[in-house]
Amino acid sequence: MAETSHTEELKALTIDDATLPVIDLSALLNGSDADKQDVARALGDAARTSGFFYITGHGISQDLIDAVFAASKQFHEMPRSFKMKYWSGFTTNHRGYVPFEENGTKFPVQINFNEAWDMSFEAPADHPDYLHGWRMTGPNVWPDLAGWQETVSSYYDAVFNLGLRMLDTLAYELGVDGSELTQYITNPTSQLRLLRYIENNMPSTKDVTGISAHSDFECFTILLQGAPGLQVMNADDIWIEAPPIPGTFIVNIGDIFETWSGGQFKSTQHRVVNTGRERYSLPLFFGLDYHAIVQPLEKFQTPETIEKYPAIKAGDHLMRMTIQTFRYMNEAKEAGVFTPDYEIPEENPFMREAKEPAE
């Protein structure tokens, strides 16, 4: 009997294999008001329980999905000398190539076996935040590859617009006006990462991972993944698999929405284990303007929620987590060369230790 290939394994997965809720968004584009209410209710239920769910009916063509996967593969297969010309450390706003040894601040004691191309919402070079030195804001950089910028930009725009529809629907589900949330999205820090997990023969341990356990820092993440490896921590602090399913994205609630909802929505811990196999994925982290103040929405403000979720600037929370994620940023911070200074809170109310699954 012939051995089943990795690609064939993925194609064999169906919605029935989902370990998390599956929600059809097609009604958001062409459904009745009642149908849209059903979608909103399903999103809210998933956000309050698992904090993770699959979406179908998203309206993004398979041709575009195939094209952006091909673009990511094209870049990551280039020689390292080519990729390092676009090292993100050459920029002041974290754009470009992130080699795997930049992931985390404890390399090589701890290794995250991935490399990435990072881009974000396009801000002009004369934007005041960029001129002032605020990181995560400003223009993108692009590799010298024919048609690459057009493909990746088209994908970014499509998923960002999907995020706007989801944001409006989640606002409706919470019973607040959508403008109460979208007022903070004029020049957001929404980042797209073109990730490649590197083939290796290292064991999968707490210190050797694809990406170590974390919650996401923004409103939510819309993830396209090309191979297994993602694990989600359930309510019993046990890791469960969240494999890719053809035709779907996987979405998870981030820290901002947990704060806005006063803790009703769950920003869930997740990780990517080191499978040893090459793996491509494309998360878009749907964020806010850097200087947006995040706190429980007025509807959800109580003495308890105000104490648990003190007001925080969205960009400062993002920077605190980013400094812990990228070695070159941590070294710059330690050397005192960040301009301007950041008010970076030390505590992270969203992080909790996960129990390791039984052997």
Side-chain angles (χ1 to χ4, degrees), residues 1-313:
M1 182 180 294
E3 182 180 353
T4 302
S5 72
H6 188 46
T7 301
E8 289 171 336
E9 290 174 6
L10 294 181
K11 289 181 178 178
L13 291 172
T14 68
I15 296 297
D16 292 336
D17 298 301
T19 55
L20 297 163
V22 180
I23 301 169
D24 185 352
L25 302 186
S26 56
L28 298 183
L29 295 175
N30 50 28
S32 66
D33 288 345
D35 291 336
K36 292 177 181 178
Q37 290 171 8
D38 288 342
V39 173
R41 189 177 303 110
L43 290 174
D45 288 346
R48 288 181 174 86
T49 52
S50 62
F52 262 82
F53 47 91
Y54 293 90
I55 57 171
T56 64
H58 43 71
I60 298 177
S61 73
Q62 189 62 46
D63 286 345
L64 182 55
I65 288 171
D66 292 342
V68 75
F69 266 132
S72 181
K73 187 175 179 66
Q74 179 188 17
F75 174 80
H76 285 300
E77 288 183 344
M78 297 296 290
R80 183 178 171 91
S81 58
F82 174 87
K83 293 186 285 191
M84 283 302 295
K85 291 191 298 183
Y86 306 99
W87 177 45
S88 57
F90 292 143
T91 72
T92 61
N93 61 326
H94 190 72
R95 299 294 200 276
Y97 175 59
V98 182
F100 86 97
E101 66 269 21
E102 291 288 358
N103 290 295
T105 60
K106 298 179 180 179
F107 180 88
V109 176
Q110 294 180 348
I111 302 175
N112 292 299
F113 266 114
N114 72 81
E115 59 179 345
W117 179 272
D118 287 357
M119 62 161 292
S120 294
F121 192 88
E122 183 78 29
D126 61 355
H127 191 282
D129 281 0
Y130 180 65
L131 295 176
H132 194 56
W134 293 102
R135 293 180 181 250
M136 316 308 288
T137 300
N140 289 302
V141 298
W142 300 101
D144 186 16
L145 296 170
W148 203 90
Q149 176 179 349
E150 291 77 8
T151 296
V152 175
S153 293
S154 294
Y155 178 80
Y156 181 96
D157 291 344
V159 181
F160 182 80
N161 287 328
L162 170 62
L164 287 173
R165 293 200 303 273
M166 291 188 58
L167 185 78
D168 189 59
T169 305
L170 288 167
Y172 172 84
E173 201 281 336
L174 288 172
V176 299
D177 192 279
S179 63
E180 192 170 345
L181 310 185
T182 57
Q183 65 175 316
Y184 301 117
I185 303 175
T186 61
N187 184 52
T189 58
S190 301
Q191 181 189 64
L192 173 65
R193 308 200 75 200
L194 276 63
L195 281 159
R196 172 181 173 256
Y197 294 83
I198 300 169
E199 185 176 2
N200 66 89
N201 59 6
M202 295 283 286
S204 180
T205 69
K206 185 176 181 180
D207 292 328
V208 180
T209 64
I211 290 181
S212 56
H214 63 286
S215 64
D216 287 344
F217 327 138
E218 298 85 357
C219 298
F220 47 74
T221 302
I222 304 175
L223 171 67
L224 182 64
Q225 51 175 346
L230 176 64
Q231 294 183 340
V232 176
M233 189 170 67
N234 69 12
D236 296 320
D237 288 346
I238 300 297
W239 293 108
I240 62 172
E241 303 292 333
I245 295 175
T248 72
F249 288 87
I250 194 164
V251 176
N252 62 279
I253 297 298
D255 298 347
I256 287 175
F257 244 122
E258 178 170 326
T259 299
W260 272 345
S261 67
Q264 291 191 34
F265 288 1
K266 306 302 181 185
S267 181
T268 303
Q269 291 287 298
H270 53 286
R271 66 184 184 182
V272 177
V273 297
N274 178 39
T275 65
R277 286 173 158 175
E278 184 179 59
R279 175 182 185 267
Y280 285 87
S281 72
L282 296 95
L284 185 137
F285 305 100
F286 193 93
L288 306 182
D289 298 344
Y290 191 101
H291 301 286
I293 301 300
V294 182
Q295 58 190 334
L297 299 172
E298 184 176 0
K299 179 178 180 179
F300 303 110
Q301 288 183 4
T302 66
E304 293 76 20
T305 61
I306 291 172
E307 180 181 5
K308 184 175 181 179
Y309 302 105
I312 186 175
K313 188 183 292 184

